[in-house]
Amino acid sequence: MAARIEPIVGRYVHLTLGGRSCRVYFEEAGHGIPLLCLHTAGSDGRQFRHLMNDAAVTDHFRVIAFDLPWHGKSTPPVGWEDEEYRLTTAAYVEAVMTFSRALELDRPVVMGCSMGGRIVLQLALEHAAELGAVIGLEAADHQTPWYDTEWLHRPDVHGGEVCAALVSGLVGAPAPDEHRWETLWGYMQSGPGVFKGDLYFYRVDSDFRDRVAGIDTRACPVHLLTGSYDFSCTPEDTLRTAATIKGAEAAIMNELGHFPMSENPARFREYILPVLEKVRAARA
C-alpha cells in the first residue's frame, strides 16, 4: 500500500527586508485565487496545514503560508546574534508585501491570525489596490495586554515551555487533544526571544484605533472571524473593530479559541468556507 503524500510543497525565496538579505521559507498547495496566510506570534506557517490539505479550499485557492524571518524554517538575517528581535508595523507590512510581490501574486486574499489578523487591517488601509480582500482571524484594532512579556526570554526560564504555557489557555476547550498539542508544539519550538519580539508589535506598535475607519471595503473587503473562547482578542474587541469599519463583516465562531485553523480545523472550516465562497463570488 502506497504511503499518503500530502500535496503541500515547500520552497525558499530570498528577499531583501530592512535592507538585509533574508532566506524565507514558504509552503503552498492548490490553485486559483492566491490566499496568503499569516501565522500567529511565536509560531510559523504550519498552522495552516489543514487548509492546504482541504480540497474544498485548494480546488479554488492557491494557499500559501510563509514563515517570517526568525520563525519556523526562515533563518534570521546575518548578525541577528548582536541584536534584540522586535517586530514593528512597518517591518511587518514590508515583509508581507515584499513576499507577495516576489511571488507575483495577483491581488491575493490575505488571511492572518492574531498578530496576523491585526496586520491585515493595516494592509487593507495601505495597500487596498494590491489586495483582493483581507480576512482577520482573532483580529481587532487593539487589545489591552493581559500578560508580562519579560518571562518569555530569561536565562532562568525555559523559553519554549513558558511560551506554550502562556497561550495554552487560549485554545478552545472543545479542541481535540491531537490538535491542541500540535498547536502548542509550535510555540515550544519558537526561537529564543522571538515570541517576545513579536509581541512588541502586538502590544506596543499596533494600536490601530485611530485609523481603521479609513479602510475602504469597496476597494478591499474586510472579513473578521473570532472564536468565542478567545479571551485575548475577545469577541467584543472584534465586533467593536468591525463596527468602526464601514462595510466590514464579522462573525463569532462558537467552540473555537485563539488558533482556529490549527486547534480545531474541522470546526473552523464550517466558518471559513462560507467566507471563501463570498470572496470567490465577489471575484467572479
Side-chain angles (χ1 to χ4, degrees):
M1 180 176 177
R4 184 172 76 92
I5 298 177
E6 297 186 7
I8 301 172
V9 175
R11 303 179 71 181
Y12 287 91
V13 60
H14 290 254
L15 306 176
T16 299
L17 300 173
R20 298 193 290 179
S21 178
C22 294
R23 184 171 181 256
V24 172
Y25 179 74
F26 67 98
E27 294 181 342
E28 65 173 296
H31 54 83
I33 300 170
L35 177 61
L36 181 56
C37 301
L38 311 179
H39 58 74
T40 64
S43 191
D44 58 65
R46 287 175 293 177
Q47 292 178 320
F48 295 95
R49 74 173 180 88
H50 301 285
L51 283 181
M52 294 186 190
N53 279 289
D54 188 338
V57 177
T58 56
D59 282 352
H60 307 286
F61 290 87
R62 178 187 175 192
V63 185
I64 309 161
F66 73 98
D67 299 342
L68 280 170
W70 278 273
H71 298 71
K73 297 174 77 172
S74 295
T75 48
V78 173
W80 65 270
E81 68 276 13
D82 295 323
E83 63 187 87
E84 179 181 0
Y85 166 69
R86 280 185 171 183
L87 183 65
T88 65
T89 294
Y92 202 175
V93 168
E94 180 192 21
V96 175
M97 296 309 299
T98 300
F99 179 84
S100 177
R101 291 164 185 158
L103 267 63
E104 300 181 333
L105 302 181
D106 178 19
R107 297 178 61 237
V109 177
V110 183
M111 179 170 71
C113 186
S114 187
M115 73 167 190
R118 179 83 55 85
I119 201 63
V120 301
L121 299 175
Q122 185 70 20
L123 292 168
L125 188 64
E126 286 189 43
H127 298 284
E130 293 184 67
L131 306 178
V134 297
I135 303 172
L137 308 175
E138 320 308 318
D141 52 9
H142 174 76
Q143 286 104 37
T144 302
W146 50 272
Y147 39 78
D148 180 358
T149 59
E150 292 306 310
W151 286 96
L152 301 180
H153 188 37
R154 294 167 51 120
D156 58 339
V157 174
H158 189 289
E161 291 187 341
V162 76
C163 289
L166 180 72
V167 303
S168 61
L170 292 173
V171 179
D177 275 353
E178 171 190 356
H179 300 311
R180 172 190 304 278
W181 283 104
E182 182 177 315
T183 298
L184 297 179
W185 182 247
Y187 276 85
M188 293 177 188
Q189 294 183 315
S190 177
V194 171
F195 190 25
K196 181 181 178 183
D198 285 340
L199 292 180
Y200 177 82
F201 159 77
Y202 203 59
R203 288 169 54 107
V204 179
D205 198 44
S206 64
D207 184 346
F208 296 160
R209 287 176 292 184
D210 63 345
R211 65 194 74 171
V212 294
I215 295 174
D216 183 355
T217 57
R218 295 168 300 179
C220 181
V222 175
H223 302 270
L224 303 179
L225 297 168
T226 287
S228 59
Y229 274 91
D230 194 344
F231 62 84
S232 180
C233 175
T234 66
E236 291 76 18
D237 290 327
T238 295
L239 295 175
R240 181 201 68 239
T241 301
T244 307
I245 306 170
K246 185 178 179 180
E249 297 189 13
I252 304 306
M253 302 182 287
N254 290 327
E255 299 186 358
L256 289 168
H258 195 70
F259 313 95
M261 61 284 177
S262 63
E263 69 174 53
N264 197 339
R267 186 68 173 164
F268 176 58
R269 74 192 300 275
E270 296 177 16
Y271 290 95
I272 194 61
L273 290 182
V275 172
L276 295 178
E277 182 58 35
K278 284 186 180 180
V279 169
R280 286 179 58 208
R283 190 105 162 190

